[in-house]
Amino acid sequence: MRGRGDRLEKLLGERELDRMLVTDLVNVRYLTGFTGTNGACVCAPGLRLFFTDFRYTERAASEVEGWEPITVEGDWLASIAERLEGKVGFEDDHMSVRSLEKLKEKLGEGVEAVAAGGTVERLRRVKDDEELAAIEAASKLADAVWEWSVERGFAGRTERDVARAAEARIRELGGDPSFPAIVAAGPNGALPHAEPGEREIGRGELIVFDMGAMLDGYCSDGTRTYASGDPGEEGREVYGVVLEAQLAALEAVKAGAKGEDVDAVARKVIDAAGYGKRFGHGLGHGVGLEVHEAPRLSPRADDVLEPGEVVTVEPGIYLPGRLGVRIEDFVVVTEDGYRNLSALPKDLQIVE
Amino acid sequence: MRGRGDRLEKLLGERELDRMLVTDLVNVRYLTGFTGTNGACVCAPGLRLFFTDFRYTERAASEVEGWEPITVEGDWLASIAERLEGKVGFEDDHMSVRSLEKLKEKLGEGVEAVAAGGTVERLRRVKDDEELAAIEAASKLADAVWEWSVERGFAGRTERDVARAAEARIRELGGDPSFPAIVAAGPNGALPHAEPGEREIGRGELIVFDMGAMLDGYCSDGTRTYASGDPGEEGREVYGVVLEAQLAALEAVKAGAKGEDVDAVARKVIDAAGYGKRFGHGLGHGVGLEVHEAPRLSPRADDVLEPGEVVTVEPGIYLPGRLGVRIEDFVVVTEDGYRNLSALPKDLQIVE
């Protein structure tokens, strides 16, 4: 974890900042390892400060290495402000207007707060080996839960029952859901963000099952669409188009590829089949400490993929009132392609 | 729920605001009933606007009543800015520095953004009957889980096992944990925010068990300290002091009482017993859609209690390296006292 502060220090130089104040807890965790609910850190050349309060002094001692620990006893922002000098980057995309006001009141003379949101998020895009191991473990856990869910069958159960049981199984296996599982069958499959409901899953329906596990703070994210019996001609056709789009897009993933270009590969397949207007979201996104993070694969995304980034590839087609299909893997970007972290089959599985 | 917008409208008049922009999702839920992950609302005399995106159009139609629904298709902040006029209150304690910058760029001529954070939180302090019913149901669910946990016993199990099992039981009963359950035994009890660990609970230890359930969005929060066999003279004494402090503080709860004065009642009992330095947190806090909200019962809290507020009363004594005791009820403030929502016994329960 020590190398992460060094990488941030290097970015500060490039951005002509003297110090960086990091207040977003996910970014603080990334840099320092701290998992409590109140912490901040300050990075500068040769300086690594970690702030928390008395509740977390012991936890910080066991989790945080390479950052000087400071337990704040009085005013939180005043204690931090004392250690700020020169041009100080702050996370304008996370810090509230009120916190910045209060911070500015306490800054010493000549100290300037400069908007620098996204700096740590930029570092977080490329995962190191420790992070990849955590993400892979989360993915394996989730795959096991899909297999377990398939064994229990879908027809005759409610969406909510399937989703709740899967979440409970994730916890039994030692993880947490990285987001509330989506189980959307039949016409509900056409709502990309449906809440699993009391509707009983019938036979011959397509079931969009989107789920992720979190383990040691790192997330997985994947989707399979199952059929509870033959889904009919339209269902089979739509499934085939989404699968073709997904496989084509995966082939376009590699270091140097642009987010919008990978997205366009999938979109072209779906357009050609006449479903262009029914793919209403981006192709994918980064996954790590958060289930949605940089980079993005979507129209107008100019992010250029780098080795070690972890991204989802998840095209979908949604026919309102009828059905939906989404197939989502998540993969590690490599120099010449990708390594797929999802091990489940992708041909249409009939699960009654 | 309609009355909540009317109460906000009245506050706007008092604060000389023409419109109020609400962006914090908990506040949006409070006012409109919307439970999705992207929404905002604008309130002004005779005007109730609710904004979301295409993913939540259907959910908004079923959840939101009395607010005109608007599905934003282009730029989120620009669409909202179009409907703002005059002096516009915004939630400076929630809105990020970057969002405010972007919003200001899009405001029409003569439109002014004014910091007005805490306005909806002020309304949320006093609960209506519907809210009290939800909170009471959450409390009953949590009480059932404590009773269930006690039946399974503590000695020989790990803290983590007890906590995880209780959380799973909350979910089985249809709720969610309102925060990760704390189970801290023996010396771990002295860490008020301990993570339940792999330490096996021995016999004759005090076990701080802090837990809450969430049901229909509303939280409960309570703590009991159990003993896995006779906790010894010091344990019994400390338990007695905390219980005396808790009972005395409860008697001080009523409409018109000041937060700092109720806190002082408990603190005085603990001071008199010689443990004054070992009660390192405030006496209590409001509970509702969030597990920590206004008002506060703590030193220097000038909040004056009103009928219908729901607050915790939770003194504790923590002896580093040895033990901890905390006893927490949560209660509805009434004109002349309180109604206790926690139904569990408070004399020391020996549970092996």
Side-chain angles (χ1 to χ4, degrees), chain B residues 149-167:
Chain B
S149 303
V150 161
E151 281 169 23
R152 293 165 57 100
F154 298 126
R157 300 172 68 195
T158 66
E159 296 170 343
R160 190 192 304 259
D161 176 42
V162 174
R164 283 260 152 169
E167 290 169 358

Side-chain angles (χ1 to χ4, degrees), chain A residues 54-55 58-59 90 92-93 95-98 100 117 164 171 175-176 191 193 195 280, chain B residues 54-55 58-59 90 92-93 95-98 100 117 164 171 175-176 191 193 195 280:
Chain A
F54 77 98
R55 296 173 299 167
E58 296 206 15
R59 187 186 298 201
F90 72 96
D92 62 307
D93 48 347
M95 188 178 281
S96 74
V97 172
R98 184 179 294 179
L100 179 62
R164 283 260 152 171
R171 293 191 182 95
D176 280 297
L191 307 167
H193 287 74
E195 281 252 290
Chain B
F54 76 98
R55 295 172 299 167
E58 295 205 17
R59 187 185 299 200
F90 72 96
D92 62 307
D93 48 347
M95 188 177 283
S96 74
V97 173
R98 184 179 294 180
L100 180 62
R164 283 260 152 169
R171 293 191 180 94
D176 281 296
L191 307 168
H193 288 74
E195 281 253 292

Side-chain angles (χ1 to χ4, degrees), chain A residues 206-351:
Chain A
L206 288 167
I207 303 140
V208 178
F209 194 165
D210 189 345
M211 175 167 67
M214 193 193 315
L215 208 56
D216 295 328
Y218 281 85
C219 299
S220 81
D221 185 9
T223 307
R224 286 294 180 270
T225 299
Y226 299 95
S228 53
D230 183 350
E233 195 181 324
E234 184 175 59
R236 287 194 305 272
E237 179 187 311
V238 169
Y239 192 95
V241 173
V242 173
L243 181 55
E244 188 189 337
Q246 209 261 352
L247 294 172
L250 279 176
E251 290 317 303
V253 170
K254 63 176 175 185
K258 231 170 144 180
E260 62 185 356
D261 294 335
V262 181
D263 177 275
V265 170
R267 216 161 286 278
K268 196 175 157 191
V269 173
I270 291 174
D271 271 350
Y275 294 105
K277 292 197 167 164
R278 302 304 178 189
F279 174 24
H281 55 74
L283 178 70
H285 54 83
V287 180
L289 286 168
E290 290 178 295
V291 73
H292 288 96
E293 53 182 56
R296 289 188 312 127
L297 308 179
S298 63
R300 293 178 301 283
D302 57 7
D303 296 329
V304 176
L305 297 181
E306 294 176 42
E309 292 181 347
V310 174
V311 296
T312 69
V313 176
E314 49 175 313
I317 294 177
Y318 310 95
L319 306 182
R322 302 218 291 283
L323 59 84
V325 172
R326 181 165 65 254
I327 302 172
E328 173 182 23
D329 285 336
F330 83 134
V331 306
V332 187
V333 178
T334 62
E335 281 295 350
D336 51 4
Y338 64 93
R339 183 161 66 85
N340 201 328
L341 296 171
S342 314
L344 298 171
K346 281 190 286 195
D347 50 313
L348 182 59
Q349 308 284 304
I350 308 284
V351 180

